[in-house]
Amino acid sequence: MGNRINFTKRALEAISPAPAGKRAYYYDTKIRGLVLDVTPNGVKTFRLYRKVNGQPQRSLIGRFPDVSVERARAKAEADNGKIANGENPGAKRRDLRKEMKFGEMFDLYLERYAKKEKRSWSGDEWLYKRYLAGWANRPLSSLDRDDVERLHTAIGNEHGTYAANRALSLVSALYNKALEWGWPGTKNPAKAVKRFEEERRERYLYGHELPRFFGAVQKELDTDARDAILLMLFTGARKMNVLSMRWQDVGLERAVWRIPLTKSGKHQNVALVPIAIRVLTSRPEKAKGSEYVFPGRRGNGHRMEIREAWDRIRAAANLGDVRLHDLRRTLGSWQAASGSSLLVIGKSLGHLNQSTTEIYAHLDLDPVRQSVTAATQAMLTAGGLDP
């Protein structure tokens, strides 16, 4: 019946590859049916071998060491319990192969929901490719709370709590939509996973960082991304508002950009300061031939993502954990440092607050322009550039 050993991490690590053209099998002395399958290439896989209704059944548990001995034993023990109750876990797993895969569900979520309902849908696509694509071929029913919790923890340790929580939210949204659209499963495995606590962001670009920042921006070869990043800083607008900017909404003579629809669901008039106008007028002719200031690389749409360029700039300028959205916070912080009132800052950034909305509605753009101009001039001076 092969080799019977007590499965421990050290014992399994010491097992040599099987002879050429053969497989070696090692049986656990503690859990009935738990087997380690070893190939000539040294790949070690946990499986459960049992007879069900008189027929031999083999079901996959997972590869070692990705799946620990403890987890393999727990899964094997759970399957043994199901077999004792008359179930066939191996057949159930084979049925799952016919079920919708996680990657297929994401594609459906993206096309049927996110692209139609979320202006930030490209962020979901980026999150999926960065953190969740490894589950693309997993049937939806095969993922449980432990799977989601382990991934959430791993992302948190490697990329930070904010990224981990956003990925968790996306997983939860996928399963909620799957249930809403008739998937026969019964639960959302992300629902009970506890999110990490997030500290309120107070990060912005400091004076000593601005020379490095502007230097890295000037060297960036992706000129579309470079200009978009500068406009995010000098207008305080959100990334997707800048990337979807249309020439018809830009009044260069009046120095005003009208955002038709903001995150708050309303339009916003943005005061364009001289440096922002210079960025816009320097845009290449090919861009001006499009409806959009930042045309997409394919088709007739607009640019959707600039993260790769931002990561290069952030690394070149040694900015640490500064995010694209912190550029918006940078403008507001420098406005405050330049003596602007909170009302003016709120107006320039398009903030809405029930107690101040009426005041915002009567606030003229002139003081906003003066405030943003003073702030941008201060940033450019600190960055060693001519305002």
Side-chain angles (χ1 to χ4, degrees), residues 25-54:
Y25 298 95
Y26 296 82
Y27 295 80
D28 187 23
T29 56
K30 291 189 174 181
I31 301 297
R32 181 184 180 188
L34 179 59
V35 181
L36 185 75
D37 176 342
V38 184
T39 70
N41 293 327
V43 176
K44 302 171 183 178
T45 306
F46 290 115
R47 302 182 189 277
L48 182 70
Y49 284 110
R50 288 292 309 276
K51 282 189 176 182
V52 181
N53 298 324

Side-chain angles (χ1 to χ4, degrees), residues 176-196:
N176 285 339
K177 284 299 175 185
L179 291 165
E180 179 184 332
W181 294 338
W183 172 60
T186 58
K187 61 182 180 179
N188 178 346
K191 187 175 182 180
V193 177
K194 186 177 180 180
R195 284 157 173 73
F196 295 121

Side-chain angles (χ1 to χ4, degrees), residues 111-267:
E111 297 300 325
R112 186 172 172 181
Y113 168 71
K115 287 185 177 181
K116 295 179 180 179
E117 303 293 337
K118 299 180 65 177
R119 290 191 295 277
S120 59
W121 64 265
S122 63
D124 287 346
E125 188 173 41
W126 183 87
L127 278 171
Y128 172 80
K129 290 179 179 178
R130 182 77 181 272
Y131 302 120
L132 305 177
W135 286 347
N137 293 318
R138 293 279 300 270
L140 286 179
S141 293
S142 71
L143 292 167
D144 56 25
R145 176 182 174 177
D146 287 345
D147 292 314
V148 178
E149 197 160 37
R150 281 198 306 275
L151 182 65
H152 182 237
T153 300
I155 296 172
N157 291 337
E158 295 176 20
H159 304 282
T161 57
Y162 182 87
N165 286 349
R166 300 294 80 72
L168 180 62
S169 294
L170 179 56
V171 173
S172 185
L174 287 182
Y175 275 92
N176 285 339
K177 284 299 175 185
L179 291 165
E180 179 184 332
W181 294 338
W183 172 60
T186 58
K187 61 182 180 179
N188 178 346
K191 187 175 182 180
V193 177
K194 186 177 180 180
R195 284 157 173 73
F196 295 121
E197 291 187 9
E198 297 178 20
E199 293 184 5
R200 185 176 179 179
R201 291 285 292 185
E202 296 181 354
R203 188 69 166 93
Y204 60 93
L205 292 176
Y206 302 104
H208 71 276
E209 294 175 318
L210 287 170
R212 302 198 306 268
F213 168 75
F214 286 122
V217 170
Q218 289 176 333
K219 294 177 182 178
E220 173 56 43
L221 298 179
D222 185 344
T223 55
D224 285 355
R226 176 200 67 196
D227 290 349
I229 287 167
L230 288 174
L231 286 176
M232 287 178 64
L233 177 63
F234 296 138
T235 65
R238 294 178 174 86
K239 179 186 70 174
M240 288 311 299
N241 289 138
V242 170
L243 293 181
S244 62
M245 181 189 292
R246 297 180 301 175
W247 287 112
Q248 70 182 48
D249 296 323
V250 177
L252 293 177
E253 292 183 358
R254 296 181 297 111
V256 175
W257 164 36
R258 186 180 190 274
I259 302 178
L261 187 64
T262 65
K263 185 179 180 180
S264 65
K266 300 179 180 296
H267 79 272

